[in-house]
Every structure is written in structure tokens, then in C-alpha cells.
Amino acid sequence: MADTDDEQTVELGPDHRGKREDELAPGAEAAGEDRRAKEWEAGGDLDGPALAAGTSDDEEAAEDHEAEQQRVREEIEQDAREERELQDARYRQDVNRADAEIAEAMRLAHIAEGNRNDYRAEAGGERRLAHNDAAHSAHLRAGAAGRDDPQADADRAEADRFQASSYRQDRLANYDDAVASSYGAEARDRRNEAAEVRRPEQPPAAEAVRNPPQAPPLARKNLKQQRRRKTKELRDFGLGD
């Protein structure tokens, strides 16, 4: 039986005895925990730079994207300002052209109306002369009627001259009336021409963007939120500040 017990007994080697004695020594458990913590931190440090580098690359890429979007926005705003300035310049030119056309049409209308009034006045005077000459001729003829003397013959001759003058003044009046009517028609046409001139409408104040960005720009506050979220995730793993 003694031999059996001796055969089942396993003798510890020097390494095992040293390890066993170290584990049983006072403070060995705490030292082991410290050693395991340092080993874990050393392993964490090996992974730390890769995570930090990846995070830095993401942030740098986001900042580059934001800078590119800012540059695109500035170019778009500059193009919009130039387009608006061009539209304003064209608008002012069109307004000046329309005003000049209206002013010229109204000027010609006033001239035509002045000529119309002048010819109307001339025609009115000529018609009055024609009426007076006709009345004088009729009076002379009435006085010479039934008479056969030299004075009666002279009165009838004078009546003929007044009658001829009346016809001439009447023809002049008709001509001047026709000219006045033509000037009146011209004045109406000029006024209609002025009324038909269209003033350009004020260009809209909306954004004059011809090539808007395909994607909305990334706001800076979103980047900050993203960075805070990544930092919190690193803290959960014991990394980061």
C-alpha cells in the first residue's frame, strides 16, 4: 500500500514550486492583478494608435469635405451675385430704352397735336372768311337785283368776287381740316405706341443659382457631435480622454 501511495505522488519541479510559492506569498494576488492590468493596457496601447489614426483620418476627411462644400458655396454665391448684377444692368438698360421710346413717342404726339390744333384753327378762320364773303356776295346781289344801271352792274361784279373768295376760303378750310385730321391720327398713333411700350419687370430677388450643389453641405455642428460620439465610444473601451 505504501508503494502505491508513493507511485501516485507527483513531485513538483523547481519551476512549479517557485510559482506556487510566489502565489502563496503575501501580496502576490495584488501584484498579479497589477501585472495583468499592465499587460492589458500594453495590449490596448497596441490597438490605440490605429483607432486614433482612423478617427483622425475621418475627422480630416470630414473637414476637407466641409472646406470643399464651403468653397463650392462661395463660388455659387459669387456666380449668383454676378448673375444678379448682370440682370440688374440689363434691367436698367431696358428701362432706359423703354423710357426713351415712351418719351420720344409722347414728344412726337405732342408735336402732332400742336400741328393738328394749328390747322384746325386755320380751317376755322378760313371757314369764317368763306361765310362772311358768301354773306357779302349775297347782300350785293340782293341790292343789284331788278336794277339795270352801272352801279348795279358793279355790285353784281363785286358779288361775284366775294363769292369766288368764299369758295376759295372754303376749299382752304377743307384742306386744313384734312391736314389737321391726319395730325390727329398721328398723335393717336404716337400715344398708342407709347402705351404699347412695355416696361421690363423687376428681376426676381430669388437666388440666381445655375449649378446648385448635388449634396447639401455638412454642417460643422454635425462634425462636433460626431467627434463627441467617437470620443465617448473610446472612453467606453478605456481609451481617449
Side-chain angles (χ1 to χ4, degrees), residues 157-225:
E158 187 70 14
D160 291 341
R161 287 192 295 271
F162 275 108
Q163 188 64 49
S165 177
S166 175
Y167 291 154
R168 184 174 64 254
Q169 294 297 329
D170 193 56
R171 287 193 301 270
L172 290 175
N174 291 337
Y175 174 79
D176 289 340
D177 274 339
V179 174
S181 297
S182 66
Y183 277 118
E186 180 181 353
R188 287 192 299 272
D189 292 341
R190 295 299 184 182
R191 287 189 176 277
N192 292 335
E193 179 181 345
E196 291 175 357
V197 174
R198 288 187 171 273
R199 287 178 174 270
E201 297 181 356
Q202 178 70 28
E207 186 72 14
V209 178
R210 291 170 296 181
N211 297 315
Q214 298 298 324
L218 184 61
R220 184 177 295 275
K221 62 180 181 180
N222 293 336
L223 286 177
K224 292 181 180 178
Q225 293 176 357

Side-chain angles (χ1 to χ4, degrees), residues 5-59:
D5 294 337
D6 293 339
E7 290 176 358
Q8 291 179 353
T9 302
V10 178
E11 185 178 359
L12 297 176
D15 295 337
H16 291 84
R17 285 197 301 271
K19 183 176 181 182
R20 181 64 177 171
E21 291 174 355
D22 293 340
E23 292 177 352
L24 296 176
E29 183 176 359
E33 292 294 335
D34 293 340
R35 184 173 60 254
R36 285 192 294 273
K38 290 181 180 180
E39 291 176 356
W40 187 87
E41 291 177 358
D45 292 340
L46 294 177
D47 296 335
L51 291 174
T55 303
S56 177
D57 291 341
D58 293 341
E59 293 178 355

Side-chain angles (χ1 to χ4, degrees), residues 14 27 39 43 52 57 81 93 96 105 109 128 134 185 216:
E39 291 176 356
D57 291 341
R81 284 192 296 269
Q93 291 177 356
N96 294 335
R128 285 191 297 272

